[in-house]
Amino acid sequence: MKKTFLFILSFTALFSFAQEKAAPVASQSNNMKAAVINDSSQLYEEAYELYQSEEYDLALEKINAAIKLDKRKIDFYDLKCYILIKLKRNKEIIETATYAISLNPKDAKFYEIRGNTYYFDFEPEKALQDYRKMITLDQTNDRYYNNYLKLLNEKRLDQEMINLYPVFEKALPGIKENSDNQFLHDVYFYFSLPFERAKNYEKAKALLTEAINQKDSGSMYYNNRGLIYQETGDLKLALQDLNKAIEIKSDEPSYYENRFSIYFQAKDYENARKDLLKILALGNNDSYIYANLGNTYQMQGKSKEAVENYEIALIKDPKNTSVITNAAYGYFDLGNTVKAKAYFEKALAIDPKEIDILIGLAVIYNEEKNEAQKTKILSKITEYTDYKPSKNLLKELIKEHYIYTEKFQKAWEKLF
């Protein structure tokens, strides 16, 4: 019977817009020009105060008046963009940022503002182009990396993420000097993801450790590092990290799902069962939760409870061959070979080449002393799968993603 685990990496982090703006001080030698600029600077300061007071419509009127007096003052467009962000006027944000870029093509912040707006306007390719330009202009802003990496991760542009890492690493001293950096922990987190997917577990683990060092309350960092420890066979450290993730965020079902898989792998079936029940209590009642609960009860020798949970899973997902097959194994352990046979045959009709189904039917036909059908099924194992029927076949499968009760293993060995 197959395990039904679903490992859940956390990918979530949020875009943030900087909103702290300092009013500039302007001075010019020409008296008339200075008067105009002073007037525009005063309007800017009034617009900024209104922005801080959340009076965005009035703030927009003031900043527009300032821009009318001095169309080339770059800070005016910066503040206007942030006012428009609050007013959710995406088209005007893009227009304003684009004009500011025409005034100063080397100002990274306007590429970020426009890129963020494209992102929220569901134009990720345009956002990506702006983020790429933004990073070439300023490699010392942790927020820029955060937003850029978030989009790269969503698009699974892993090689671009990996290629960006040396740029970030070289700029890191300058980033750390900036007392305003608030996103460094998430930057490390995002960088860990492509390395994890590339199975460079040591690098991914090191980056997650850096994320934890920056912010030890990041539950997702512990979750992901725990899964890497599990993947590399260190179940004790994996469990420690999942325990910490749950301690930080006790209402996140995915953390219990991941801890369940660690408990199950460690053959701590009672704690595995408790985590599955906790997941159900938190409101996740998907079919695979009941399927895993069935597997857990089965490994505890509680075939009745196992079958009950498989049947619930099948109500939710009636054509899931893994669950149908596992239910068949449960009925076999209960001694109900008629029901077991019916379920194995139902699964076989959907997936005629699955080794787990063929093995189950071979045992059933052997129990029925139906030599012809048993021989036919054993030949199909050879024909349709990469395995050869032998007394030790189940031991080979157990090393992969299959589980079998002691009763079924003994029944299989009787074939030889």
Side-chain angles (χ1 to χ4, degrees), residues 143-263:
R143 188 181 68 250
Y144 291 177
Y145 287 100
N146 177 72
N147 293 1
Y148 183 21
L149 287 166
K150 182 181 191 297
L151 181 53
L152 290 175
N153 180 62
E154 287 177 4
K155 295 179 70 64
R156 290 297 187 271
L157 294 174
D158 285 359
Q159 194 56 54
E160 187 169 346
M161 294 175 80
I162 290 169
N163 292 344
L164 183 62
Y165 183 73
V167 176
F168 164 76
E169 197 171 32
K170 185 177 179 181
L172 193 55
I175 296 170
K176 287 184 174 179
E177 284 177 9
N178 183 359
S179 59
D180 193 38
N181 70 69
Q182 302 174 42
F183 303 95
L184 198 51
H185 47 92
D186 274 341
V187 172
Y188 280 118
F189 168 71
Y190 277 124
F191 272 127
S192 75
L193 298 175
F195 288 107
E196 190 278 333
R197 289 191 286 264
K199 300 190 184 304
N200 187 344
Y201 295 128
E202 288 305 310
K203 185 64 175 179
K205 192 166 57 180
L207 288 165
L208 286 166
T209 300
E210 284 293 340
I212 289 167
N213 290 340
Q214 293 291 323
K215 184 180 180 182
D216 64 2
S217 60
S219 59
M220 70 185 84
Y221 312 151
Y222 288 101
N223 174 77
N224 285 22
R225 193 176 68 174
L227 291 179
I228 292 172
Y229 279 130
Q230 182 185 14
E231 187 69 23
T232 55
D234 198 331
L235 297 187
K236 183 178 178 181
L237 289 177
L239 190 57
Q240 286 179 9
D241 271 357
L242 265 296
N243 285 343
K244 184 65 177 179
I246 289 168
E247 178 187 322
I248 295 167
K249 189 169 176 55
S250 61
D251 60 349
E252 176 51 58
S254 66
Y255 297 165
Y256 293 95
E257 292 173 39
N258 290 337
R259 190 172 70 175
F260 148 76
S261 72
I262 296 168
Y263 279 136

Side-chain angles (χ1 to χ4, degrees), residues 4-266:
T4 325
F5 300 159
L6 180 68
F7 303 108
I8 301 173
L9 285 169
S10 292
F11 299 130
T12 308
L14 300 176
F15 281 102
S16 295
F17 294 104
Q19 296 182 28
E20 294 294 327
K21 297 290 165 190
V25 178
S27 61
Q28 296 286 341
S29 56
N30 183 285
N31 288 338
M32 187 175 292
K33 188 173 182 181
V36 170
I37 290 174
N38 286 337
D39 285 345
S40 66
S41 296
Q42 178 62 36
L43 287 166
Y44 171 85
E45 290 172 3
E46 291 173 11
Y48 179 65
E49 288 175 6
L50 289 164
Y51 170 80
Q52 291 287 81
S53 302
E54 301 182 4
E55 296 182 63
Y56 303 122
D57 288 308
L58 290 175
L60 185 60
E61 289 179 17
K62 290 287 185 181
I63 199 63
N64 280 338
I67 289 170
K68 190 174 181 180
L69 291 173
D70 187 354
K71 289 183 170 60
R72 301 193 64 80
K73 192 72 172 177
I74 201 76
D75 286 341
F76 294 179
Y77 298 97
D78 192 14
L79 178 55
K80 182 176 179 178
C81 282
Y82 283 99
I83 294 167
L84 291 168
I85 287 166
K86 290 296 186 180
L87 292 170
K88 299 181 180 179
R89 297 187 187 178
N90 287 3
K91 183 180 178 182
E92 292 174 67
I93 297 166
I94 291 168
E95 289 171 352
T96 303
T98 301
Y99 187 78
I101 289 168
S102 74
L103 293 177
N104 185 359
K106 295 185 178 180
D107 195 328
K109 65 176 172 287
F110 290 105
Y111 292 98
E112 184 208 18
I113 291 168
R114 192 172 67 177
N116 290 343
T117 309
Y118 280 136
Y119 175 86
F120 288 118
D121 252 359
F122 306 105
E123 296 192 74
E125 290 303 327
K126 290 182 178 179
L128 196 53
Q129 293 304 315
D130 274 349
Y131 290 155
R132 286 170 177 155
K133 183 66 175 177
M134 167 189 77
I135 286 291
T136 64
L137 293 170
D138 185 352
Q139 287 141 27
T140 61
N141 189 315
D142 61 325
R143 188 181 68 250
Y144 291 177
Y145 287 100
N146 177 72
N147 293 1
Y148 183 21
L149 287 166
K150 182 181 191 297
L151 181 53
L152 290 175
N153 180 62
E154 287 177 4
K155 295 179 70 64
R156 290 297 187 271
L157 294 174
D158 285 359
Q159 194 56 54
E160 187 169 346
M161 294 175 80
I162 290 169
N163 292 344
L164 183 62
Y165 183 73
V167 176
F168 164 76
E169 197 171 32
K170 185 177 179 181
L172 193 55
I175 296 170
K176 287 184 174 179
E177 284 177 9
N178 183 359
S179 59
D180 193 38
N181 70 69
Q182 302 174 42
F183 303 95
L184 198 51
H185 47 92
D186 274 341
V187 172
Y188 280 118
F189 168 71
Y190 277 124
F191 272 127
S192 75
L193 298 175
F195 288 107
E196 190 278 333
R197 289 191 286 264
K199 300 190 184 304
N200 187 344
Y201 295 128
E202 288 305 310
K203 185 64 175 179
K205 192 166 57 180
L207 288 165
L208 286 166
T209 300
E210 284 293 340
I212 289 167
N213 290 340
Q214 293 291 323
K215 184 180 180 182
D216 64 2
S217 60
S219 59
M220 70 185 84
Y221 312 151
Y222 288 101
N223 174 77
N224 285 22
R225 193 176 68 174
L227 291 179
I228 292 172
Y229 279 130
Q230 182 185 14
E231 187 69 23
T232 55
D234 198 331
L235 297 187
K236 183 178 178 181
L237 289 177
L239 190 57
Q240 286 179 9
D241 271 357
L242 265 296
N243 285 343
K244 184 65 177 179
I246 289 168
E247 178 187 322
I248 295 167
K249 189 169 176 55
S250 61
D251 60 349
E252 176 51 58
S254 66
Y255 297 165
Y256 293 95
E257 292 173 39
N258 290 337
R259 190 172 70 175
F260 148 76
S261 72
I262 296 168
Y263 279 136
F264 195 98
Q265 189 176 342

